[in-house]
Amino acid sequence: MTDINSKINQTIIRLKRNRMLKDSFWALLGNLIGKGLPFVAGIFVARLLGSESYGEFGLIKSSLISIALFSSFGLGITATKFIAEVVDINQQSAKHIEKICNIITLISSTILAIVVLIFANPIAVILKAPHLTTILRLSTIAIVFNAVNTTQTGVLAGLRAFKTIAKNSTWSGVFSFVVTVGLTYFYNLEGAVTAMCAYLLFNCIINRRSIQRLLPSEEESMTNDYKGTIYHIVSFSFPVALQESTFSIAGWLNTFILVTYCSYSEYGIYAAAVQWFSVMLFIPGSLRNVALSNLSANSDRKSKITVLKRLLLINFTSTIIPFLIVLILASFIASFYGDSFNGLAPVLTIMAFTAVINS
């Protein structure tokens, strides 16, 4: 009996010392609250707007996310990798990298936001929604905020500050729920879009404060090879940006095809199903930065392979469970969205199978 207790205690101690396990715990906890509350708010928004207006909101949101994904230039992943490699050795170098990543993100996202602002009307006409021109122009703010937030999250992941990310996600989730439900109730579609921009701005502010607290101010006297660092960062981020731009273009084309050949009401049903697609891929998405941060900080090849195999197993297992839940309860889930979302259940079933394939 004593041997068994000793082994149990040793196992608990090992688990407590396992950095990746602790990082995973905080990443999952932060995302559970930070994305869970906006998800619930999304159901309220769908009921308040109805399938047609929710389809218009989904169109704006998916278009901006596709653009913002490209505008971040792959710097979320890049910041995580580069900072994780140097933060334990030289925090000034980490700050140097963070500064460059932020500058590039601001420049690229601002340029794209201005382009969308100028061509908002032609874009709205192409999407068969010229009445959304003004709202589309308003929502270009979200392009910059979303890109900056992506890079900031990558920086915090590189610092392995997953507990901080969890706290920030919690505050952002609460803020998003209150603002989204409130503004949508009073101002309908305009309120939902304004709430989205406000949520992203709030997230940027608290992430910025966390980074300033965790990283020291860069010493002006320090000789920094900006050209060399920029070259290495861009060389790594460019292939990532190409991959993400492929997803962006494919996502936008998917939206364009659906809007062209379907009604906005049908697109609203699709947008609601996409919400649950994200839920099914919740754990794999939450652990992506944890995996990259730990793999970048670890130089042992065998350890990296072991970590990778475990993550693949976790990804598959964690997707199967929500897949079965959605598959069995598709009709019950659809009832939460209201009568205008008739036909949501079969779309949820298709999305469930797609999520398993993506995992």
Side-chain angles (χ1 to χ4, degrees):
M1 190 69 179
T2 305
D3 291 339
I4 294 174
N5 289 334
S6 178
K7 288 181 180 178
I8 292 173
N9 289 332
Q10 288 176 4
T11 302
I12 293 172
I13 291 170
R14 279 201 306 270
L15 291 174
K16 286 182 177 179
R17 290 177 178 175
N18 189 311
R19 184 156 198 169
M20 184 171 177
L21 186 64
K22 288 191 290 185
D23 290 346
S24 299
F25 169 77
W26 286 114
L28 289 173
L29 181 63
N31 277 286
L32 182 63
I33 301 172
K35 292 183 178 179
L37 286 174
F39 170 75
V40 175
I43 296 176
F44 278 98
V45 170
R47 288 188 66 91
L48 289 168
L49 294 180
S51 60
E52 185 170 348
S53 291
Y54 188 71
E56 293 176 341
F57 175 65
L59 166 69
I60 292 171
K61 190 174 181 179
S62 64
S63 297
L64 290 177
I65 287 174
S66 296
I67 295 168
L69 189 66
F70 176 70
S71 68
S72 65
F73 204 70
L75 288 166
I77 293 173
T78 304
T80 300
K81 178 186 181 298
F82 278 75
I83 290 175
E85 289 176 341
V86 303
V87 68
D88 292 331
I89 304 168
N90 189 337
Q91 283 208 337
Q92 286 295 334
S93 295
K95 180 64 180 178
H96 183 51
I97 293 166
E98 181 264 338
K99 183 178 180 180
I100 291 173
C101 287
N102 276 332
I103 291 171
I104 297 174
T105 300
L106 278 171
I107 292 172
S108 60
S109 61
T110 301
I111 290 172
L112 274 174
I114 291 171
V115 170
V116 175
L117 186 68
I118 294 171
F119 294 99
N121 184 250
I123 292 171
V125 171
I126 290 172
L127 294 172
K128 297 170 62 177
H131 60 287
L132 295 179
T133 300
T134 303
I135 297 177
L136 190 60
R137 283 175 178 154
L138 168 66
S139 58
T140 53
I141 301 169
I143 294 174
V144 179
F145 292 156
N146 192 76
V148 171
N149 183 53
T150 300
T151 300
Q152 288 175 333
T153 303
V155 170
L156 289 170
L159 295 171
R160 295 190 286 278
F162 293 100
K163 187 174 181 178
T164 299
I165 294 174
K167 290 179 180 178
N168 291 353
S169 296
T170 300
W171 284 112
S172 295
V174 173
F175 179 85
S176 173
F177 181 83
V178 174
V179 172
T180 300
V181 174
L183 288 179
T184 304
Y185 180 80
F186 288 106
Y187 301 104
N188 299 314
L189 180 59
E190 292 84 354
V193 174
T194 303
M196 178 180 67
C197 296
Y199 156 71
L200 290 170
L201 172 60
F202 179 80
N203 219 10
C204 287
I205 292 171
I206 59 175
N207 280 341
R208 184 63 198 161
R209 290 183 65 183
S210 297
I211 292 170
Q212 288 176 334
R213 188 177 69 254
L214 292 167
L215 278 178
S217 298
E218 190 177 13
E219 295 176 6
E220 295 297 330
S221 59
M222 181 181 177
T223 303
N224 288 321
D225 181 14
Y226 278 99
K227 289 185 179 179
T229 306
I230 291 172
Y231 174 78
H232 288 299
I233 288 174
V234 173
S235 297
F236 181 86
S237 67
F238 185 69
V240 178
L242 285 178
Q243 182 192 30
E244 291 185 344
S245 65
T246 302
F247 283 112
S248 298
I249 294 168
W252 195 85
L253 287 175
N254 181 53
T255 298
F256 173 72
I257 291 169
L258 285 170
V259 169
T260 302
Y261 295 100
C262 302
S263 66
Y264 270 99
S265 180
E266 289 173 315
Y267 185 77
I269 292 172
Y270 168 78
V274 169
Q275 278 190 308
W276 287 90
F277 175 81
S278 300
V279 168
M280 286 178 276
L281 292 177
F282 166 71
I283 292 179
S286 299
L287 297 181
R288 185 182 70 167
N289 279 341
V290 175
L292 180 59
S293 178
N294 280 271
L295 288 171
S296 298
N298 195 336
S299 58
D300 183 50
R301 191 170 184 275
K302 287 185 178 180
S303 297
K304 286 185 177 182
I305 293 172
T306 302
V307 169
L308 191 59
K309 286 180 178 178
R310 287 175 181 171
L311 285 169
L312 289 172
L313 181 62
I314 290 170
N315 283 1
F316 181 75
T317 306
S318 62
T319 309
I320 284 294
I321 296 172
F323 159 74
L324 293 173
I325 293 172
V326 172
L327 196 65
I328 295 169
L329 301 176
S331 298
F332 178 70
I333 291 169
S335 66
F336 284 104
Y337 287 81
D339 296 335
S340 63
F341 285 82
N342 184 35
L344 176 58
V347 182
L348 282 173
T349 303
I350 295 170
M351 281 293 179
F353 282 102
T354 307
V356 173
I357 294 169
N358 269 270
S359 70

